[in-house]
Amino acid sequence: MRYHVRRNPVILMILKNWFGIRKSIQRKIFISFMLVMFLPTTIISVSTYYFSIDLLKRKVSESFLDNLAYNKNIISIEFKQFEKIADYILYNSDIQKVLSPNFRQHSTQAYYDLEGAQQSLTNFTMQAFAVSNVASIQIFGDNGIILFTGATNEIYPNDEKLKEISWYGQAIKMDKPRFWFGNADETSSRSNLSGNGYTPSMVKTFRNSATLEKLGVIYIKIRNDLFDNLFEDSNMKKIGKFVVVDDNGLIVHDPDKNMLLKTFPDIDKLKLQKGDHGSFITKDGQLMVYYYIERYGWWLTDSIPLSELLKDNKIIFNISITVVLICFILSGIIWYFVSSGIVRPIKQLTSVMLSVKEDGLAVKSEYKGNDEIGLLSSSFNYMIERIQDLITEMVEEQTKKKDMEYQSLQAQINPHFLYNSLNSIRWMAMIHKADNIKEMVEALGRLLVNCTSKRDAMITIEEELTIVKDYIKIQEIKYSDKFYVDYDIEPNLMKVKCIKFILQPFIENAIFHGIEPKSGIGCIRIQMKFCNDIVEIVVHDDGVGMDVARILNDESNGKRFNGIGIKNVDERLRLTYGEKYGIRIESVRDEYTSVNIRFPIDAGLE
């Protein structure tokens, strides 16, 4: 469709002109509203239709499942009755005696034992035949003894041939009842299986009740009209097609007798289903509901063609379409008159708003009405003016803020410090006539140059260390072996950029507040290292310790060398690198103070 439109722009233009979309905002609103009206109405109607179909399927499925559950119970009860008959016979002592491997068949006593066993079987089965669907019973002993009861034409003629049949072997292997609804002779042709070949039967292993030793098998032939009797009053005859499928996938009950013992068409899909009951749609368009009998591996199914199930739903669909069309026409008429009254000021205001894309914020709506459109117009004008003012203020404030922050963060030399330093030089020269005056003056000179320099606020760590070492040199001369400094610095950090004067305040703090009050010689350790692209600087002293809160809130900048306090350094770090960076101070009274400085590695690593 898109390809067709691009290849035929003339057709698209004709359609737009015919509907008047290009020339009339009223028609745009009208057509848009009609689409908005049509789509929900259509969706609701179609959804209602399909919801009714889904509801109908669920109700029919639930009804079928109820009937299948009922029939499942009937089959389970009937099959368990066959099992109970077999169990009762198998636990008869007379029958177990003649089937024992030690039974001596050619003795006189054996004749009476056989007569007694046969009589016990006959007496029981006469009662069983009256209340159940049993046609005949045969017992094949592994010792060659055969017992039977029932009509002679119901008796299986050859026990050796019976043992060669696959379903017989399966029953022996599984050691549980095996129901078979085909001809006992598997060599019979398939055509015979749907007529006289339909022979329901059950085979079960016969064991000694005490030792559980296998003595033989019991073969119960079931009446051919078993399912007809069981489901005579079932609702399945009235609706749907009720089918019973055995564990081999063969149909053992079907309203169409010609389908008996044929492979169930949807057996593969049945085996793929999860759970013991449910429903699905077959390839030929039928709603198939199933119930699985786990003990026997059988399925009960009921199906009905969807076309028959949904034939009355077409009325619902036709009503839905009619309602949609009526609502669409009525809404179109009403909305046409409503849109005519409001389209003019909307068009004017929309034009002004669209012009913002081309003219920027230098636009203004001229509509002065007192209605909602007028209020929207005046609010739009106010918004444009406020945006302009805010942008201007923001630019100015950000510029001033940056200038003031960096200007205020760079302090000047404290005259009090200069006086003390020069006084120290004078007294040392007078008293000691020391030769190290030159070194002290040179260190002080370099400090003065670095403090009053107009260079950028960012310097390398190597340059920062030079400033710190000059400051330490002066303090070492002043305090005369009161402390010493230990450096542990990774060499590849020397060219990394950092903000200016981040170390000196902490060295000054360590000397004045940690080392000076301490008795004996103190140690200041400066450590620098990498840690996941983060520079970590630790300034540690073994002085008397101090109050961390007091350190952070120390405002005695007038007494400091360059007026830069610890809080000042923390703020500059956060301003430059972000809130997650800065300083962390840990101090224990009379033991130590440790300052941790963290900031990311700059591109200055060379």
Side-chain angles (χ1 to χ4, degrees):
M1 179 62 71
R2 292 181 178 177
Y3 177 82
H4 179 72
V5 170
R6 284 198 295 266
R7 287 288 185 178
N8 298 276
V10 177
I11 296 177
L12 180 60
M13 184 177 295
I14 292 174
L15 289 174
K16 289 183 177 180
N17 291 335
W18 188 76
F19 283 109
I21 297 177
R22 290 185 177 274
K23 298 180 180 179
S24 174
I25 190 173
Q26 179 181 357
R27 292 185 183 180
K28 289 182 180 179
I29 297 175
F30 176 77
I31 293 174
S32 299
F33 177 80
M34 295 306 295
L35 289 175
V36 172
M37 180 64 194
F38 176 76
L39 290 176
T41 307
T42 303
I43 292 173
I44 292 173
S45 301
V46 173
S47 300
T48 302
Y49 172 70
Y50 283 104
F51 176 77
S52 65
I53 291 177
D54 183 66
L55 181 62
L56 181 60
K57 289 180 182 178
R58 283 185 312 198
K59 292 299 182 183
V60 171
S61 297
E62 291 173 1
S63 176
F64 281 7
L65 283 174
D66 290 341
N67 290 332
L68 290 177
Y70 175 75
N71 289 343
K72 172 190 174 184
N73 292 333
I74 292 178
I75 292 177
S76 298
I77 292 172
E78 188 68 19
F79 281 15
K80 286 180 181 178
Q81 186 175 4
F82 294 141
E83 294 181 38
K84 289 180 180 178
I85 291 173
D87 290 339
Y88 182 84
I89 294 174
L90 298 179
Y91 281 99
N92 183 276
S93 59
D94 294 335
I95 296 175
Q96 289 221 3
K97 181 178 181 180
V98 300
L99 295 181
S100 172
N102 301 323
F103 181 69
R104 308 174 75 178
Q105 302 183 27
H106 303 292
S107 63
T108 304
Q109 182 62 38
Y111 173 79
Y112 291 106
D113 290 340
L114 284 172
E115 286 293 323
Q118 182 65 52
Q119 187 62 41
S120 297
L121 178 62
T122 302
N123 292 339
F124 173 76
T125 53
M126 287 180 62
Q127 300 177 1
F129 291 165
V131 296
S132 68
N133 289 289
V134 176
S136 65
I137 300 176
Q138 286 179 267
I139 300 176
F140 299 94
D142 290 346
N143 61 1
I145 300 297
I146 298 178
L147 303 176
F148 62 88
T149 182
T152 56
N153 61 343
E154 302 288 351
I155 303 303
Y156 196 84
N158 190 334
D159 62 321
E160 293 300 327
K161 191 174 183 180
L162 178 67
K163 295 178 182 179
E164 295 175 359
I165 299 176
S166 62
W167 59 268
Y168 174 89
Q170 292 173 6
I172 301 301
K173 184 178 180 180
M174 292 187 298
D175 200 19
K176 69 178 184 179
R178 181 74 166 82
F179 288 89
W180 170 255
F181 276 67
N183 195 309
D185 186 358
E186 287 185 339
T187 60
S188 300
S189 65
R190 175 62 67 181
S191 61
N192 290 334
L193 295 181
S194 60
N196 295 329
Y198 183 75
T199 307
S201 56
M202 185 196 83
V203 175
K204 185 176 181 180
T205 303
F206 189 94
R207 293 185 179 275
N208 186 291
S209 59
T211 64
L212 299 181
E213 177 186 7
K214 180 177 174 297
L215 302 179
V217 296
I218 181 170
Y219 174 76
I220 299 178
K221 188 177 183 303
I222 303 170
R223 293 173 53 179
N224 290 2
D225 58 353
L226 168 67
F227 288 133
D228 292 335
N229 295 334
L230 292 179
F231 308 131
E232 182 177 4
D233 299 327
S234 175
N235 291 331
M236 297 296 185
K237 291 186 176 182
K238 302 176 183 178
I239 55 174
K241 181 181 179 182
F242 175 57
V243 176
V244 181
V245 183
D246 70 3
D247 55 343
N248 289 320
L250 300 179
I251 299 174
V252 296
H253 175 73
D254 192 298
D256 183 4
K257 299 302 181 181
N258 293 324
M259 293 298 295
L260 292 177
L261 301 182
K262 292 183 178 180
T263 301
F264 187 65
D266 296 294
I267 185 62
D268 292 334
K269 195 164 186 179
L270 265 180
K271 292 180 179 180
L272 294 175
Q273 303 302 311
K274 297 181 179 180
D276 63 348
H277 64 276
S279 62
F280 59 89
I281 304 299
T282 63
K283 294 180 180 179
D284 56 350
Q286 295 199 48
L287 174 63
M288 176 76 67
V289 182
Y290 67 90
Y291 225 116
Y292 181 63
I293 307 178
E294 184 176 0
R295 177 174 176 80
Y296 307 110
W298 285 26
W299 286 273
L300 307 182
T301 70
D302 197 7
S303 61
I304 184 172
L306 287 176
S307 56
E308 180 180 349
L309 182 65
L310 305 177
K311 61 183 178 180
D312 294 334
N313 278 55
K314 293 182 178 179
I315 299 176
I316 299 176
F317 181 76
N318 293 332
I319 293 175
S320 300
I321 294 298
T322 303
V323 171
V324 170
L325 292 176
I326 293 174
C327 292
F328 185 75
I329 294 172
L330 292 177
S331 300
I333 295 173
I334 295 172
W335 183 244
Y336 177 80
F337 291 104
V338 173
S339 62
S340 298
I342 61 176
V343 69
R344 190 174 296 105
I346 291 179
K347 183 177 181 180
Q348 179 183 353
L349 183 57
T350 302
S351 178
V352 175
M353 290 181 176
L354 292 175
S355 65
V356 173
K357 296 181 180 180
E358 299 178 358
D359 302 331
L361 298 176
V363 296
K364 186 176 183 180
S365 175
E366 301 297 334
Y367 183 74
K368 304 296 184 182
N370 295 323
D371 54 8
E372 289 80 358
I373 305 301
L375 179 60
L376 183 62
S377 177
S378 61
S379 298
F380 173 77
N381 290 336
Y382 176 75
M383 179 187 68
I384 293 296
E385 293 174 359
R386 286 296 300 151
I387 290 175
Q388 291 175 330
D389 294 341
L390 289 174
I391 291 176
T392 302
E393 293 174 3
M394 184 180 298
V395 172
E396 293 177 353
E397 288 179 359
Q398 288 297 323
T399 302
K400 291 180 180 179
K401 182 179 179 181
K402 287 292 183 180
D403 292 341
M404 293 177 65
E405 286 174 345
Y406 279 102
Q407 291 175 6
S408 64
L409 293 177
Q410 186 68 48
Q412 299 299 323
I413 293 295
N414 189 314
H416 181 72
F417 174 81
L418 289 177
Y419 174 81
N420 287 340
S421 299
L422 293 174
N423 192 49
S424 297
I425 295 172
R426 183 174 65 84
W427 279 104
M428 290 177 64
M430 291 175 60
I431 297 174
H432 299 285
K433 297 180 180 181
D435 295 332
N436 57 2
I437 295 177
K438 178 182 176 182
E439 295 179 3
M440 187 173 186
V441 171
E442 287 177 349
L444 177 60
R446 286 192 296 269
L447 277 176
L448 291 174
V449 171
N450 286 318
C451 289
T452 58
S453 174
K454 299 297 183 181
R455 292 182 299 173
D456 294 337
M458 302 293 292
I459 62 175
T460 65
I461 288 180
E462 183 178 18
E463 294 172 330
E464 180 70 14
L465 282 173
T466 300
I467 296 173
V468 170
K469 288 179 180 179
D470 287 336
Y471 177 79
I472 292 173
K473 182 66 176 177
I474 295 173
Q475 299 300 334
E476 284 177 341
I477 295 174
K478 177 182 176 181
Y479 284 96
S480 183
D481 297 329
K482 176 66 176 177
F483 67 91
Y484 65 93
V485 180
D486 184 18
Y487 298 92
D488 180 12
I489 301 171
E490 294 185 6
N492 55 350
L493 278 174
M494 302 303 288
K495 300 300 181 181
V496 173
K497 291 290 186 67
C498 65
I499 61 175
K500 196 173 183 179
F501 287 113
I502 61 172
L503 289 178
Q504 186 276 329
F506 300 106
I507 301 299
E508 181 177 356
N509 196 75
I511 294 173
F512 291 160
H513 299 290
I515 303 299
E516 185 177 18
K518 175 182 178 180
S519 60
I521 299 175
C523 175
I524 300 174
R525 180 178 177 81
I526 302 175
Q527 183 181 24
M528 297 184 183
K529 63 181 179 179
F530 280 121
C531 185
N532 298 326
D533 293 332
I534 302 297
V535 176
E536 285 195 2
I537 302 176
V538 178
V539 178
H540 179 91
D541 71 80
D542 58 357
V544 298
M546 58 199 76
D547 185 4
V548 175
R550 178 176 172 272
I551 297 173
L552 292 175
N553 296 319
D554 186 9
E555 298 179 356
S556 58
N557 288 340
K559 297 180 181 180
R560 291 189 175 274
F561 159 70
N562 58 1
I564 297 177
I566 294 175
K567 187 175 182 181
N568 181 292
V569 174
D570 187 52
E571 290 176 351
R572 284 194 294 151
L573 287 170
R574 296 180 187 275
L575 177 64
T576 303
Y577 300 110
E579 288 297 321
K580 64 180 181 179
Y581 301 102
I583 66 173
R584 179 172 55 84
I585 302 176
E586 180 181 351
S587 182
V588 177
R589 182 65 68 180
D590 298 325
E591 291 188 18
Y592 70 89
T593 298
S594 181
V595 180
N596 184 282
I597 306 171
R598 298 177 71 255
F599 58 89
I601 296 176
D602 193 16
L605 181 56
E606 300 173 356

